[in-house]
Structures are given as structure tokens and as C-alpha cells.
Amino acid sequence: FEQNIEERQEVSLAEGNQGIPENTGSKEGMEKEEEEGIYVTQPGDTLSSIASKGEVMGVPLKWPLLYRLNKRLFKGMEADVNLPEMVLPQGVEFNFVTKGQQARNIQSLPENRWVVNVVSSTTQGRIVPLAVKLMNVDYYVYISMAKVDGQDWMRLRVGFFQGNILTNIKGKSIKELLNISNIWSTKVSSDEFREYAGYQIETEGKK
């Protein structure tokens, strides 16, 4: 992880004067910094704690969305169940989708509300390795919450697709990738779509 960070920092330094305007403290500079969505890790930060910050995503379970945007930092790491709570080195730049970007993304996206429900669990232990494996081949993964018979469940989902037929095709590919069978397709509510779909941006190797 630290080696990947060093490589990324070298790239940032090399490109720093070519495409990123210097922040002189002006209003324009601060707006530009906010629009870029960059968070610099502090002592004790984890993926979950960063995702929980109001200026980032505001919800700790949105850590997969943060991981997906920054997965190059984790290249070669094992998908340990403790990944969301792993303490990160200080001073690392993480990209995130700002609230403004999220709102614009929602406005521009077609309301394709079909998703593949990969697994449901009361703990993240089963979810984390599957989520990382899916994100490493660039599926758009998120974790939603549901209450069933008074118990809180986490649902690992992949989206967002147009129609049941396409979703079933994606579900079949996911079954083969993960070697699990209990996968199903569903059309989520507009609220769930608006909560999670706006974090989609272009990444390398997008499916």
C-alpha cells in the first residue's frame, strides 16, 4: 500500500504544475479544490471513517464507493475483511465525488433502477471480499441497508441497469465470477437510486 502511495505522490508532483491551478486562497481556488473532491488522510483515518465524513459521503457504509474511486492505491492487497477499518497512512490524497458532482450526475443519468442483489448479511465479514473482487473488475458496487423482521441487514448490490433482462445477464456473469448462486435481480426505489447512483464516474477499465 505504501509503495502504491509513493508512486501516486510522484505522479501528482510530476503533474502538479501542468493541470492543477495553484490554490492562492482565493474564492475561485477554494471552489476548484472543493469541486475536485480531494480528501487528505489524517491520523487514524479508515475507509469507513472517511466515507462517514459529512463533506465526503456522510455514511460509513459508502466505503465501497470511496474504494472504487481510489482502488489503484490498494493494488495487490488482499481483500481482508478488515479493509474498511484498516488505518490508512497519513497524508494520502483520496478522490471523492462532491455533493455538487453527485447532484449533477443524478440529473444527467437515466433512471435505470435495476440492480443485482449479490448477498445479504448482518455483518460485513461476508460482504467485504465479494465487494472488493467485484470492484477490482470495475463493477459499480454499493451497500444498502434493510430491516427484516426487526433486524438490520446489509445488502451488497451491483447497478444500475436498464431492465430486468440486462440485469439478469449481469447477474449470471457475477455468479460465475464469485461462484455463488443465491443472486437475484430487483428494481430499487427512486430514493435508493438517488442515494447511490450519483457516485458513478468514469474509471479505468469501466465495464
Side-chain angles (χ1 to χ4, degrees):
F1 184 82
E2 292 179 354
Q3 181 181 358
N4 292 328
I5 291 169
E6 290 173 359
E7 290 173 355
R8 183 181 176 189
Q9 288 174 336
E10 288 175 3
V11 171
S12 299
L13 288 171
E15 298 177 350
N17 295 326
Q18 298 177 19
I20 302 175
E22 181 181 355
N23 187 352
T24 60
S26 66
K27 180 179 179 181
E28 181 180 354
M30 289 186 288
E31 287 176 350
K32 179 65 176 176
E33 182 177 352
E34 179 183 359
E35 188 62 25
E36 289 176 347
I38 296 174
Y39 176 87
V40 180
T41 55
Q42 304 300 309
D45 273 343
T46 66
L47 280 173
S48 291
S49 70
I50 296 172
S52 71
K53 294 181 183 298
E55 69 272 24
V56 181
M57 295 174 176
V59 178
L61 281 180
K62 287 185 177 179
W63 67 263
L65 304 172
L66 186 65
Y67 175 93
R68 182 174 181 270
L69 289 173
N70 299 278
K71 64 184 180 183
R72 61 193 174 279
L73 294 176
F74 299 88
K75 187 176 180 180
M77 287 186 61
E78 293 292 331
D80 190 276
V81 295
N82 297 316
L83 177 63
E85 307 303 330
M86 181 184 71
V87 176
L88 303 167
Q90 184 179 354
V92 183
E93 288 188 353
F94 273 74
N95 296 114
F96 67 92
V97 177
T98 66
K99 290 181 173 63
Q101 289 172 322
Q102 183 190 12
R104 287 191 295 276
N105 288 346
I106 289 295
Q107 292 295 323
S108 64
L109 287 170
E111 195 167 329
N112 297 331
R113 294 192 277 123
W114 283 90
V115 303
V116 176
N117 195 87
V118 178
V119 68
S120 298
S121 178
T122 56
T123 66
Q124 289 201 71
R126 187 181 178 199
I127 287 177
V128 174
L130 300 178
V132 172
K133 189 169 186 177
L134 288 165
M135 289 186 289
N136 283 345
V137 292
D138 218 41
Y139 279 105
Y140 186 78
V141 169
Y142 69 96
I143 301 171
S144 67
M145 292 295 299
K147 190 175 287 291
V148 180
D149 296 330
Q151 189 171 19
D152 291 328
W153 286 78
M154 289 172 280
R155 289 174 170 170
L156 178 63
R157 291 181 160 174
V158 175
F160 289 88
F161 307 114
Q162 182 179 13
N164 189 34
I165 294 176
L166 176 59
T167 310
N168 287 338
I169 292 172
K170 294 293 185 180
K172 182 178 180 181
S173 297
I174 292 170
K175 284 181 183 179
E176 294 173 354
L177 174 67
L178 301 180
N179 194 28
I180 57 176
S181 58
N182 191 22
I183 286 178
W184 42 279
S185 301
T186 186
K187 188 176 184 180
V188 301
S189 67
S190 293
D191 287 344
E192 182 167 327
F193 175 81
R194 288 192 295 269
E195 178 72 18
Y196 297 100
Y199 298 99
Q200 297 182 76
I201 65 169
E202 293 288 341
T203 59
E204 293 182 6
K206 185 175 180 180
K207 296 189 79 67

